[in-house]
Amino acid sequence: MLDIIIRQANLPDGQGPVDIAIQGDKIAEIAPRIDATAREEIDATGRLVCPPFTDPHFHMDATLSLGLPRMNVSGTLLEGIALWGELKPLLTPEAVIERALRYCDLAVSQGLLAIRSHVDVSTAPLVGVEALLEVRKQVAPYIDLQLVAFPQDGLYRAEKAEENLIRSLDMGVDVVGGIPHFERTMADGARSVTRLAEIAADRGLMLDLHCDESDDPMSRHVETLAYETTRLGLGGRVTASHVTAMHSYDNYYASKLIPLIAESGMNVVPNPLINITLQGRSDTYPRRRGLTRVPELRAAGVNVAFGQDCTMDPWYSLGSADMLEVAHMGVHAVPMTSREAMDWAFTSVTQNGAKAMGLPDPTIRPGGPASMVVLQAKDPIEAVRMKATRLAVLKHGKVLSRTAPRLATLSLPGRPETLDPADYAPVSAENPT
């Protein structure tokens, strides 16, 4: 007897409806009809079953701290930075653990089962590191949580930041982080990129830098990062996060830079919700959208994965652990509304994020991991359009979360009594049902 059969599922690649047989923590079979019994059956009713969502850029040490010690009244980056400086001395491991675990509960309900979180190591004591190492251990059965040692105030700008970073890596943090554009000078920023890349190379670790999160067209540390990635042979172990200054580069320089990024093999992680909120603040009109050059990076073959960055913290008072909300904002902000590009936006928060984090391929396939999400949507584009309800969330063959379908009851003369928003998927010659 099988453990679970998911009936009548659509897959992101267009297959469907198919049945998915699960045995243990693996997918045993995918076929139009599986004549077998299972301990549990889930009827997808022609809805989408996809890999779990991934968030390759987050700040879990600050999440759900909105209002502590006070609100960010202006909603600006500068007030958020000041607020974090006020909150850090008040942090306790217990409080950080409690907020982080609450966030992980929310993430599971949204089908978000892989998160890379930066944790501030600028100053001692390393309260955030201590707390999130404990959280990583507690959530390991259901969330792949990676931690990045992030000298948030600058590797050279903050006293003893490098010492704290090395100590956090010795404690078991997974990834080397940095923020070169926040150093005192461009030269110090470039020097920090080289130092951090060498630390990652020497330790065999991944490297993820907040890189050129600025509107400044002269902030060009991603060029140095691409060089160091190639020089040290780090390839896909490296991620450049944000890279918003690229929206201000002239086209000639961008035409030189993007092939260097592609040659290096690094990943790029824009964060649509934050980038469109915090960038372009000094602009009048015309006003920049705030995101990096996503279509051009994609065309060059760079792995681009959208991240969330923040949820209800000093920098961003919104957010809900919903990576479909992130993809939805990306579609609008880039903008990219071709059918192919909208479908890619879905992939950016599933497979692409997993690749950026160095995780195994999560694609739904025979022999693959029995970790998946059942969505109240027919296909990936519809899932992005509606930010679809997660009907069921599975990890390693176990159901972690269930949510009732979103249905409306109508009282309209001569009209249907109930309404399912997933029934509004477009009908065309290519998609006749």
Side-chain angles (χ1 to χ4, degrees):
M1 180 178 288
L2 295 166
D3 291 321
I4 299 174
I5 297 177
I6 300 178
R7 300 286 187 189
Q8 296 295 285
N10 287 344
L11 300 184
D13 63 3
Q15 290 185 70
V18 295
D19 292 350
I20 304 170
I22 295 171
Q23 188 72 57
D25 62 355
K26 299 292 184 185
I27 297 173
E29 184 183 1
I30 298 176
R33 174 68 187 178
I34 295 175
D35 292 318
T37 58
R39 292 180 177 85
E40 181 177 1
E41 289 200 6
I42 298 172
D43 190 355
T45 64
R47 303 310 189 206
L48 181 64
V49 175
C50 70
F53 295 104
T54 57
D55 183 359
H57 190 102
F58 194 65
H59 292 266
M60 198 174 285
D61 51 349
T63 195
L64 303 184
S65 65
L66 182 65
L68 300 175
R70 58 184 176 83
M71 282 287 185
N72 184 336
V73 177
S74 67
T76 61
L77 174 61
L78 290 179
E79 187 173 356
I81 292 171
L83 265 171
W84 180 239
E86 294 172 25
L87 179 57
K88 270 203 297 186
L90 307 177
L91 294 177
T92 65
E94 294 77 18
V96 175
I97 289 169
E98 173 60 22
R99 286 200 304 270
L101 288 175
R102 287 190 66 222
Y103 179 80
C104 288
D105 294 342
L106 181 61
V108 167
S109 75
Q110 298 281 33
L112 172 54
L113 303 184
I115 302 170
R116 174 178 285 180
S117 174
H118 297 253
V119 52
D120 191 350
V121 300
S122 297
T123 56
L126 298 174
V127 173
V129 172
E130 177 186 339
L132 292 186
L133 285 170
E134 174 60 27
V135 171
R136 186 181 68 183
K137 182 168 64 176
Q138 289 192 36
V139 304
Y142 50 92
I143 289 180
D144 292 307
L145 176 58
Q146 290 180 354
L147 302 179
V148 184
F150 179 41
Q152 190 160 338
D153 297 331
L155 184 72
Y156 297 128
R157 188 171 181 175
E159 186 179 1
K160 296 186 177 180
E162 182 174 339
E163 177 184 320
N164 292 333
L165 180 140
I166 296 297
R167 184 175 157 224
S168 68
L169 296 175
D170 290 341
M171 291 168 68
V173 171
D174 309 281
V175 184
V176 179
I179 185 167
H181 59 277
F182 202 66
E183 302 291 352
R184 286 188 174 89
T185 66
M186 290 291 184
D188 273 359
R191 191 161 61 96
S192 77
V193 173
T194 298
R195 177 62 182 141
L196 292 164
E198 289 175 346
I199 291 172
D202 290 345
R203 289 177 170 252
L205 296 176
M206 293 180 284
L207 175 66
D208 189 333
L209 301 187
H210 286 60
C211 211
D212 306 315
E213 186 185 1
S214 166
D215 295 331
D216 180 4
M218 300 312 295
S219 185
R220 298 182 172 187
H221 297 297
V222 70
E223 179 183 81
T224 306
L225 181 58
Y227 169 78
E228 294 296 347
T229 301
T230 300
R231 178 177 74 90
L232 297 168
L234 298 176
R237 287 161 50 188
V238 175
T239 294
S241 292
H242 292 291
V243 206
T244 55
M246 199 182 292
H247 69 185
S248 299
Y249 298 161
D250 66 79
N251 289 334
Y252 180 83
Y253 176 64
S255 72
K256 171 207 171 184
L257 173 66
I258 291 172
L260 294 177
I261 293 173
E263 177 188 51
S264 76
M266 72 164 73
N267 308 281
V268 173
V269 174
N271 299 280
L273 298 175
I274 287 293
N275 293 156
I276 199 171
T277 302
L278 296 181
Q279 274 28 87
R281 286 277 181 155
S282 62
D283 292 355
T284 52
Y285 293 95
R287 175 170 283 176
R288 286 165 287 188
R289 289 178 179 265
L291 263 72
T292 194
R293 299 185 182 219
V294 173
E296 292 83 356
L297 288 164
R298 286 189 61 212
V302 177
N303 181 53
V304 181
F306 285 153
Q308 182 176 206
D309 204 5
C310 304
T311 289
M312 297 178 68
D313 66 12
W315 298 278
Y316 189 62
S317 60
L318 305 172
S320 57
D322 185 352
M323 295 308 295
L324 287 175
E325 179 182 35
V326 174
H328 189 269
M329 180 60 76
V331 164
H332 288 81
V334 170
M336 45 184 191
T337 51
S338 71
R339 301 293 290 177
E340 183 276 334
M342 290 190 287
D343 187 81
W344 173 86
F346 185 89
T347 306
S348 81
V349 295
T350 50
Q351 282 99 328
N352 291 11
K355 183 177 180 180
M357 293 175 66
L359 298 174
D361 180 7
T363 301
I364 306 296
R365 66 192 189 280
S371 299
M372 61 198 73
V373 183
V374 183
L375 293 169
Q376 191 181 354
K378 185 173 184 177
D379 58 43
I381 295 174
E382 283 296 287
V384 171
R385 181 180 72 82
M386 296 189 298
K387 294 172 287 237
T389 299
R390 284 68 164 169
L391 302 176
V393 178
L394 291 80
K395 177 78 167 183
H396 299 320
K398 293 181 170 54
V399 179
L400 302 180
S401 174
R402 298 178 191 271
T403 303
R406 196 184 79 175
L407 300 172
T409 301
L410 303 179
S411 298
L412 303 173
R415 301 306 300 155
E417 295 182 358
T418 60
L419 183 150
D420 181 344
D423 290 339
Y424 282 73
V427 176
S428 65
E430 298 82 18
N431 185 19
T433 59

